[in-house]
Each structure stands twice: as structure tokens, then as C-alpha cells.
Amino acid sequence: MIRPGPRLLPLLGAIAIPALAAPWWPPAGLLALGAALAVLGLAAAEARWLGRVRVRVVRPAQLAVPLGQGIDLAATATHDAAAVLTLTVRCVLPPELGGGSASAGGRCAPGQGLALPFIAHARKRGQAQLPAAVAAWTRFGLAERAAAAGGAATVAVLPDLGGVRRLRRQLDALFLRGMGTRLAPRVGQGREFDRLREYVQGDDWRHLAWKASARRGQMIVREFRVERSQDVLLCIDAGHRMAARVAGPRGWLTRTDHALDAAVLTAWLCNRSEDRVGMLAFAAEVDRGVPQGRGSAHLARLTAFATAVEERWLHTDYRALAAHLRRRLRQRTLILVATVLPERGDHGELLSAVRMLVPRHLPLIMVMTDPVLDAVAATSPADRRELCRTLVAADLVDGRRQLVKELRQLGALVVETAPDDLGVAAVNAYLDVKRRQLL
């Protein structure tokens, strides 16, 4: 597409000013007309020359950025002209990067590349397509040509991986400080067979090895050790309560975003601890998600799944989750559920789900609190309107405390924390389970 250049209209306007003197001096109009025709002729010649010039914009085909952080959609522009051109490149941004558009430009010499920085900010998880950039170029500014340059690109907005990098540095430093030490297998009530030994008073009769006892003529028991590799399943609530946005250091993120950041961090630590970890999302229905596994390729699948999870404005069915887990899990598993506790009238569903899972499995309920609600419940009302707000908030907080108490009585582990601290709380809860050998 050929269009007027940035200098054409101002130049024609400047030529038109002397034409205003034509009523008093007639040659002024003829001179202005001649100058205008000359400028238009030069513009047409430049437009014809620009039609033979090709501009290319090169940028990575695939980009990734953690949620809440900025990214430079760096591109490089080149052209095949023998003269210096003025380039302007515009890039349309998807909603995942805040929407709108970004532009950059400069003067590009022949045979050289022009670096174009496009700064965007990740606002929403998911994968999006960046359409081909649109480039506009001119030589003298009288005419300008605009056309699509380069190809489309894919950008993936991932959960926050900064916490994973920080935790890895800390664990690496801890490992280096412990160089030279050896970890012996821990003998306990695990499932991995360790050895046979003679029976002593106090041993569990269920561990008797009857065939070995018959061969030796004395009572022999099996001794087990705590497994090095255990199962952990991360369950992310994607229902309507998790779709609410909360303010934090990285801006307004949904509770689901905070839950997935914590899940990715916990999954990395589980893999580092040689545990098998899986992930799923649930609301009215349960996604199959990613089954338990370990390894770097498995962590990549978990990250890709977490990137694609979307909030659903649907009811959260805890009973459906429990029924799915009972069919799916064949051995004792740490089930970490990141959710927001339901209101007082819906407590029964969560309690029934926990009853279906214990004692075979170990539920760990990670509860995201509402700091604003807690603050309103703790304030002293100044008038009747604030009194109503305080009473309602206090009733909600009291119902949450009662539900937490009942969950713990059923045998579930419950951790309450603010959304921004969910990752640290999940890691600490997982390490506490491993330290106490609850699995």
C-alpha cells in the first residue's frame, strides 16, 4: 500500500501559504501551483521507487514469558535498497500481552539490520498468535509504503518460574554445603522391601514372612524402608471462586494464577526430591491433566498444562474430584488441593470429598484467604452501614474457621495463606509431610 509520506502534507501546506497573496500579486498563485505540482511529481517518483524495495522483519517464531513480567519482542528489520530508509514497524499485541499495539522504528542503512525493541507485559496465561508485523518505509518522506513484513509468531505466557529459579539456587547451595555426606535408606513403615530378619518381641505380625519362617524353622519378619519415590498429585480449583482477581506485586492476577504458580514450584521440588508428581484442574468436571511422573520432560508437560488452564465460571464439584481420584489412584498419594473454601451452605461437599479420600490418601488443602475480608471482620464499625458489613464479614470468617476445624478432624492437612504466599506455603507443607513421613 502506497500512501502520503509524513513530509508531503506539511510541505504542501507551506507552499499554499504564498498562494494567499495571489489576489494582490497574481504570479504568486502560479508559482505556488508550479511548486505543488513539482512536489507531487517527486512524491510519485518516490512512490514508484519504493514499490521496488522489499523490507523484511525477522523475529523468533516462538516466545515465552512468565506471567506478570515484561518481555522484549525483539525484531530486526532489513531492506534491499541502496539508500538509507526510515522504517517504522508496528506489532499488534494479543490480550495475553495486554492488547493494543507497539511500534518502533529508526533509520536503516543498506546492508545493515535495524534492531527494533517491542516491550510488552504478560497479563494473562495461555498461548497466543502474534500476527505478522506491518512495516512502513520511506526515503525522503514524500511517499510511504506499508506492507506486512515477516511471519507470525507464537507467544506462551507461562506461570511464574522466578520462584523455581530462586528455590533451585538455594537447594544447590545447600547441596554444596553438604558435599561428602551420605544418606542411608530410612527404615520405617514404608512400602519398599529392605531385608529379612529374625522376629523380636513387638514386631507387627502382619510383616511375618511365613515361607521364610517355615524354611528356617523360626519366625522371620520382613523389614521395609520409606520409599524414595512417592506420589504427589496437584489439584487446581478452576471454578468461579478462583476467577476473582487480587492485587499483588505483579498486578491484578486471578487466584487460579497464584495456584498454578504454586503448583509449578511444588512440582519442581517434588521432582528434585525424586517423587512422582502429576497435575489436574477441576470445576464442575475434572480434567485428566498430566499423570504422575518425573524428569525434565515431565516438568515441561506440567508447565504446558498449567499454561493452558483457564478459569471457568462454574460450580466447584469436590465430590466429583474425590470420585475421580478414587478411581485413578492405586496407591497412597499426597493430594494437594489449591482452592478457596466455599461458603457456609456448601461445606458438606468438601467434607464429603475428604471423607472419600482418607485414610487411604493424604489430602492437603491449600486455602487462599481474603486479606480484605479478614480486615473488615476485625474493624470496629463507625456507623450502621459499617456494622452490617462487619457482621457479614465476621460470619464468613467464622464459617471458614469452623470448616477448617472439621477438615482437620477428618484427617486432612489444612494450610491457610494469602494468595501471594501460596507457593512458599505449599513448599513448606510438602517438606513438612516428607519430614514427618506422613506418606
Side-chain angles (χ1 to χ4, degrees), residues 127-416:
Q127 280 197 345
Q129 290 291 326
L130 284 173
V134 177
W137 60 94
T138 181
R139 182 178 180 183
F140 301 110
L142 300 179
E144 187 177 59
R145 183 184 177 190
T154 302
V155 58
V157 180
L158 309 175
D160 183 22
L161 302 179
V164 175
R165 290 191 292 268
R166 292 190 295 270
L167 182 60
R168 179 175 182 176
R169 287 196 297 266
Q170 294 175 359
L171 292 180
D172 289 343
L174 181 63
F175 173 77
L176 292 175
R177 288 197 298 267
M179 288 291 289
T181 61
R182 296 185 60 187
L183 296 179
R186 293 177 297 172
V187 177
Q189 298 299 321
R191 295 188 298 268
E192 291 186 1
F193 174 76
D194 184 52
R195 60 193 175 98
L196 295 173
R197 62 170 175 81
E198 296 181 3
Y199 172 83
V200 296
Q201 188 175 0
D203 285 338
D204 193 339
W205 288 83
R206 294 175 297 180
H207 296 161
L208 284 173
W210 296 106
K211 292 183 179 180
S213 300
R215 287 195 301 267
R216 298 189 182 184
Q218 57 181 346
M219 299 179 67
I220 304 296
V221 296
R222 298 185 185 92
E223 198 169 62
F224 301 88
R225 64 181 176 216
V226 178
E227 298 86 351
R228 294 177 60 90
S229 182
Q230 297 170 320
D231 282 3
V232 180
L233 184 60
L234 308 172
C235 304
I236 308 301
D237 183 359
H240 66 282
R241 298 185 185 91
M242 299 288 286
R245 293 186 177 273
V246 293
R250 294 177 292 154
W252 290 84
L253 303 180
T254 65
R255 290 169 174 164
T256 305
D257 293 331
H258 290 287
L260 290 169
D261 291 345
V264 171
L265 180 63
T266 307
W268 183 87
L269 182 59
C270 293
N271 184 76
R272 183 71 177 262
S273 302
E274 299 184 2
D275 284 342
R276 296 180 295 269
V277 59
M279 187 184 301
L280 61 80
F282 68 98
E285 299 178 351
V286 182
D287 291 339
R288 185 67 185 174
V290 181
Q292 292 93 308
R294 61 186 180 187
S296 57
H298 184 72
L299 287 180
R301 290 193 293 270
L302 291 177
T303 304
F305 174 78
T307 302
V309 172
E310 296 182 357
E311 302 82 7
R312 313 165 201 170
W313 293 94
L314 298 172
H315 174 69
T316 300
D317 193 343
Y318 295 104
R319 291 194 183 98
L321 173 65
H324 173 83
L325 296 180
R326 290 187 64 175
R327 295 190 301 268
R328 174 174 176 173
L329 303 177
R330 299 301 181 184
Q331 59 185 15
R332 182 171 173 81
T333 304
L334 173 63
I335 303 173
L336 191 150
V337 181
T339 185
V340 175
L341 292 182
E343 293 75 19
R344 191 183 293 272
D346 298 330
H347 289 183
E349 293 187 5
L350 183 55
L351 294 174
S352 299
V354 172
R355 291 190 187 97
M356 294 171 64
L357 295 175
V358 296
R360 176 165 184 172
H361 304 292
L362 179 62
L364 171 58
I365 313 298
M366 301 298 303
V367 178
M368 278 182 279
T369 60
D370 190 344
V372 177
L373 180 66
D374 295 337
V376 173
T379 57
S380 299
D383 51 30
R384 183 178 299 178
R385 184 176 181 180
E386 290 189 6
L387 175 61
C388 295
R389 294 181 59 197
T390 302
L391 291 177
V392 172
D395 181 69
L396 294 174
V397 172
D398 182 68
R400 187 181 67 194
R401 292 173 181 170
Q402 180 64 28
L403 178 57
V404 169
K405 180 180 178 181
E406 294 179 6
L407 289 172
R408 287 171 175 163
Q409 289 175 349
L410 291 176
L413 303 177
V414 183
V415 176
E416 296 183 275

Side-chain angles (χ1 to χ4, degrees), residues 80-103:
D80 58 0
V84 178
L85 297 182
T86 301
L87 298 178
T88 302
V89 179
R90 179 174 174 267
C91 179
V92 178
L93 302 179
E96 285 77 2
L97 297 180
S101 62
S103 60

Side-chain angles (χ1 to χ4, degrees), residues 56-60 63 72-78 89-91 104-105 113-119 130 133 149-151 153:
R56 184 184 181 190
V57 177
V58 179
R59 62 184 177 186
L63 300 166
D72 183 4
L73 307 175
T76 302
T78 58
V89 179
R90 179 174 174 267
C91 179
L114 176 63
L116 303 170
F118 294 98
I119 305 300
L130 284 173

